[in-house]
């Protein structure tokens, strides 16, 4: 059996971890993940999905705040695994650590490299309206997501996909593709392909400013951002003076002469807002600051009661 140190943090990495563990070809010696982080309004410490999965499997978990120069890094080097495998771990790995892998250090990345190097490849594929995304298995190098590509598999992006649905599909593809690729790496029957630096596109982590919706854009583009940032970090707008997360929206075929941000239609169960290019967006689910997520009828029968047709309800967060 080949030995593995697995490094990952979000739910995307869990099926990949489970796939390696279920295989008779590999023994996971340790799992490395980010430290527990405060979560929710009460800021209770919460373990990462990878930590939870590893503990269920009875695998030792290491949680360095920073891997470089840490005791955990020293331990991994002492383990000297055949493979170091990462999947959305969230930290750079020092070259000394990468070199500790006897066979290879490889990464499972959620894009078709060299497009979308960085921490938010799936989000950018949706924001930019790409027709497909995919998985790349690549050698790890010191430079971010710049290693030679070992294998790739594309995935069509459907019109109703959001980041969560794509992560769910990509994680399964990543698991299967990794298990197909590792034996070829071990017996040297695969030809690594260098990335074309002229085609590199970066996908840095989403900033707070990027989370704000711009209703001057078309309803189609606003909805695309809502889906790209769902379930995290969420798109928001200032709705009737309150910072509000938009969880689910739907572009309509309607046209309006009202200014973007104005209420086109309001009933007890319906809220439609004008967007750019005379387009109209229906709001289906939202979450005002400090409140639970709610369907639009609950909002309109509560905090949204004062809203009237024709009202300008969307304002810029910086005003």
């Amino acid at each position: 059996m080949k030995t593995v140190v697995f490094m990952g943090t979000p739910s995307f990495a869990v099926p990949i971890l489970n796939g390696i563990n279920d295989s008779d070809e590999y023994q996971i010696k340790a799992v490395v993940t980010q430290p527990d982080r405060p979560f929710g309004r009460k800021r209770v410490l919460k373990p990462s999905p990878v930590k939870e999965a590893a503990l269920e499997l009875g695998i030792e978990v290491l949680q360095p705040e920073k891997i470089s120069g840490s005791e955990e890094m020293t331990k991994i080097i002492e383990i000297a695994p055949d493979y170091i495998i990462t999947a959305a771990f969230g930290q750079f790995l020092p070259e000394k650590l990468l070199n500790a892998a006897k066979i290879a250090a490889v990464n499972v990345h959620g894009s078709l490299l060299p497009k979308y190097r960085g921490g938010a490849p799936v989000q950018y594929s949706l924001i930019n309206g790409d027709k497909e995304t995919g998985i790349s298995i690549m050698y790890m190098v010191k430079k971010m997501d710049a290693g030679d590509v070992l294998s790739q598999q594309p995935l069509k992006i459907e019109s109703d996909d959001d980041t969560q649905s794509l992560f769910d599909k990509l994680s399964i593809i990543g698991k299967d593709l990794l298990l197909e690729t590792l034996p070829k790496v071990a017996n040297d029957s695969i030809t690594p392909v260098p990335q074309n630096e002229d085609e590199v596109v970066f996908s840095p982590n989403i900033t707070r400013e990027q989370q704000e919706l711009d209703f001057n854009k078309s309803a189609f583009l606003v909805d695309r951002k809502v889906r790209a940032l769902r379930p995290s970090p969420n798109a928001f707008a200032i709705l009737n003076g309150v910072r509000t997360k938009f969880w689910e929206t739907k572009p309509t075929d309607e046209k309006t002469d009202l200014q973007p941000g104005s209420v086109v239609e309001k009933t007890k169960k319906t809220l439609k807002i004008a967007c750019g290019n005379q387009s109209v967006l229906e709001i289906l689910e939202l979450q005002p600051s400090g409140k639970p997520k709610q369907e639009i009828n609950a909002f309109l029968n509560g905090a949204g009661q004062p809203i009237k047709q024709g009202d300008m309800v969307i304002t810029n967060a910086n005003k």
Side-chain angles (χ1 to χ4, degrees):
M1 295 177 74
K2 300 289 193 299
T3 56
V4 172
V5 168
F6 181 84
M7 309 178 76
T9 298
S11 57
F12 165 76
V14 172
I16 300 166
L17 169 64
N18 288 333
I20 298 167
N21 184 74
D22 291 343
S23 172
D24 295 332
E25 303 296 320
Y26 307 101
Q27 180 186 16
I28 301 175
K29 304 294 285 187
V31 166
V32 188
T33 191
Q34 299 278 25
D36 297 0
R37 302 296 188 194
F39 179 80
R41 294 173 64 186
K42 296 185 178 180
R43 311 305 287 163
V44 176
L45 286 179
K46 182 178 181 181
S48 73
V50 163
K51 178 181 179 179
E52 292 178 332
L55 292 177
E56 286 183 11
L57 297 172
I59 302 171
E60 181 180 11
V61 176
L62 308 176
Q63 294 181 272
E65 188 67 47
K66 183 180 179 182
I67 188 68
S68 181
S70 66
E71 293 179 6
E72 291 85 354
M73 174 173 154
T74 300
K75 184 165 188 174
I76 297 167
I77 292 172
E78 290 173 353
I79 291 172
D82 293 305
Y83 293 104
I84 293 174
I85 297 171
T86 66
F89 172 54
Q91 294 187 34
F92 282 106
L93 303 192
E95 203 163 2
K96 184 178 180 181
L97 180 56
L98 298 177
N99 292 337
K102 293 178 183 176
I103 297 176
V106 301
N107 180 41
V108 183
H109 186 73
S111 79
L112 298 175
L113 292 167
K115 194 172 189 180
Y116 300 138
R117 292 181 184 176
V122 173
Q123 289 89 338
Y124 279 89
S125 70
L126 285 165
I127 289 172
N128 293 334
D130 292 357
K131 300 300 183 184
E132 68 174 10
T133 179
I135 286 289
S136 298
I137 310 294
M138 65 175 184
Y139 281 133
M140 295 191 68
V141 295
K142 191 174 181 180
K143 189 176 178 182
M144 182 179 63
D145 300 330
D148 292 353
V149 174
L150 296 162
S151 56
Q152 289 186 321
Q153 185 171 328
L155 172 68
K156 181 183 177 183
I157 297 177
E158 304 292 345
S159 60
D160 60 348
D161 269 322
D162 62 10
T163 288
Q164 186 62 62
S165 67
L166 287 179
F167 270 141
D168 290 345
K169 290 182 272 192
L170 288 170
S171 62
I172 301 303
I173 293 172
K175 175 198 70 173
D176 294 339
L177 190 60
L178 177 70
L179 294 175
E180 290 174 16
T181 303
L182 289 179
K184 299 175 184 178
V185 173
N187 61 29
D188 202 27
S189 63
I190 196 167
T191 302
V193 178
Q195 296 185 42
N196 186 339
E197 293 293 327
D198 293 334
E199 297 178 357
V200 170
V201 178
F202 290 101
S203 60
N205 290 333
I206 301 295
T207 66
R208 186 177 180 86
E209 290 73 22
Q210 287 176 292
Q211 290 176 244
E212 185 170 8
L213 296 170
D214 182 0
F215 279 73
N216 290 302
K217 294 185 176 180
S218 72
F220 176 76
L221 293 179
V222 174
D223 175 69
R224 206 160 73 185
K225 179 174 263 192
V226 169
R227 289 184 288 109
L229 303 187
R230 185 176 69 214
S232 179
N234 290 118
F236 79 92
I238 306 302
L239 174 63
N240 232 22
V242 178
R243 189 181 191 278
T244 303
K245 294 179 180 179
F246 284 70
W247 280 91
E248 187 174 1
T249 55
K250 184 175 72 173
T252 73
D253 294 329
E254 300 170 40
K255 293 292 183 181
T256 181
D257 291 328
L258 291 175
Q259 289 295 309
S262 303
V263 176
V264 175
E265 179 183 344
K266 185 220 173 177
T267 69
K268 289 184 178 181
K269 296 183 179 180
T270 304
L271 180 63
K272 296 178 181 179
I273 298 178
C275 295
N277 299 332
Q278 296 185 302
S279 60
V280 177
L281 184 72
E282 183 172 3
I283 314 302
L284 301 176
E285 193 172 34
L286 45 66
Q287 183 177 7
S289 180
K291 302 291 184 181
K293 181 168 61 173
Q294 52 195 274
E295 293 183 0
I296 195 62
N297 62 322
F299 170 75
L300 292 173
N301 291 320
Q305 282 190 31
I307 293 174
K308 296 181 177 62
Q309 188 167 319
D311 286 353
M312 175 65 72
V313 293
I314 302 294
T315 54
N316 189 288
N318 295 321
K319 289 184 178 179

